[in-house]
Amino acid sequence: MRAFVFPGQGSQSVGMGQALAGASRAARDVFGEVDEALGQHLFKLMSEGPDEDLRLTANAQPAIMAHCIAVLRTLGIDLPSKAEYVAGHSLGEYSALAAAGTFGLAETAKLLRIRGDAMQAAVPVGVGAMAALLGVDIALAEQIAAACAEGEVCEVANDNDPTQVVLSGHAGAIARVVERAKEMGAKRAVSLPVSAPFHCSLMQPAADRMAEALAAAAMADPAVTLFANVTAAPTRDAATIRDQLVAQIIGRVRWRESVSAMANAGVTQFVEVGGKVLGPMIKKIAPDATTVSLVSMDDIEAFAKEL
């Protein structure tokens, strides 16, 4: 069994998709459709930068999605015949749903622009922060978060793999995490260069905004079963997915549990579309599974021969 998985924010880089667009009409069409939907030369920004503009949440989110779908359409497969499941890490869930036909491409781009703007606007710059804990499991990460909160928000944002958990919340609480985590048993704690505290309760204004946007969005049941971030469980119901995407804004990204559940359901191959960040996490969670990363034309052509 096979799952196609899609990376989240942080996987963007200047030059992304440029070589692919040069080699693939399908990729060029994707980038053109996203540009038109957003009324922006996003592909030019992806190709040429500057990096600080591409890293802005409102640009990075639709850019990463566009790159993923460009890779998938260049591969040119009927996804339901080649994959039992799809999943995505945070914003990657939108890429997964676009791949599975829940949203159209233009609709996905517009939703991600709203999502990026709303997440950035939810908390004033400097009020929130995030930190990655390395060498911890989820139980220890939760203990560290609770000990460092001291009346402020300090919550698990991403349960990435058995050795990496990301915390999110007020800047003061996250500073205490970075200061104290090692003495509490973590190997390291690293502040993340993010502009807002994603996936914690401080994001409630963004969740409210996405509830409005998703209520107005056209949605269909996915053609391939989705493993959702907030439940780490499968679903093929559009109404359920709508609610889960709202909850995802403030909820924990249960990536470790999602991969484990897919492996337990029989997935033996995970195909990362448009990035190389999820594969190493997956190998720590499901070491017996194989992983494939599709970014370049060479990657795509080699994988197509396997199918």
Side-chain angles (χ1 to χ4, degrees), residues 89 136-139 141-142 156-167 199 229 251-259 281 285:
H89 190 283
V136 301
D137 59 15
I138 188 64
E142 288 173 337
V156 171
N158 303 345
D159 179 8
N160 283 336
D161 67 39
T163 66
Q164 185 194 115
V165 178
V166 176
L167 302 185
H199 297 293
N229 281 185
R252 179 182 303 185
V253 176
R254 296 170 63 180
W255 188 249
R256 175 185 57 83
E257 294 173 86
S258 295
V259 171
M281 294 182 199
I285 302 161

Side-chain angles (χ1 to χ4, degrees), residues 53-71:
D53 289 350
L54 182 59
R55 280 192 280 113
L56 292 173
T57 301
N59 290 328
Q61 295 198 14
I64 292 165
M65 181 279 299
H67 183 234
C68 290
I69 300 304
V71 169

Side-chain angles (χ1 to χ4, degrees), residues 1-3 84-85 225 227 232-234 257-268 270:
M1 293 175 72
R2 184 184 292 120
E84 280 73 28
Y85 301 110
T225 299
F227 263 81
E257 294 173 86
S258 295
V259 171
S260 182
M262 285 186 277
N264 288 338
V267 172
T268 56
F270 291 86

Side-chain angles (χ1 to χ4, degrees), residues 10-77:
S11 58
Q12 74 279 351
S13 62
V14 172
M16 64 191 294
Q18 193 170 22
L20 190 66
S24 164
R25 173 62 185 269
R28 290 195 296 276
D29 287 348
V30 168
F31 296 133
E33 186 175 344
V34 170
D35 277 2
E36 185 175 348
L38 297 178
Q40 175 192 8
H41 296 301
L42 183 63
F43 182 61
K44 186 174 189 292
L45 176 62
M46 293 163 63
S47 300
E48 302 173 11
D51 181 61
E52 57 267 26
D53 289 350
L54 182 59
R55 280 192 280 113
L56 292 173
T57 301
N59 290 328
Q61 295 198 14
I64 292 165
M65 181 279 299
H67 183 234
C68 290
I69 300 304
V71 169
L72 188 65
R73 291 196 183 170
T74 298
L75 180 62
I77 60 168

Side-chain angles (χ1 to χ4, degrees), residues 9 21 65 75 93 120 138 140 186 197 200 206 212 234 258 264 271:
Q9 197 164 337
M65 181 279 299
L75 180 62
E93 195 156 79
Q120 187 60 65
I138 188 64
L140 179 56
C200 76
E212 296 173 6
S258 295
N264 288 338
V271 181

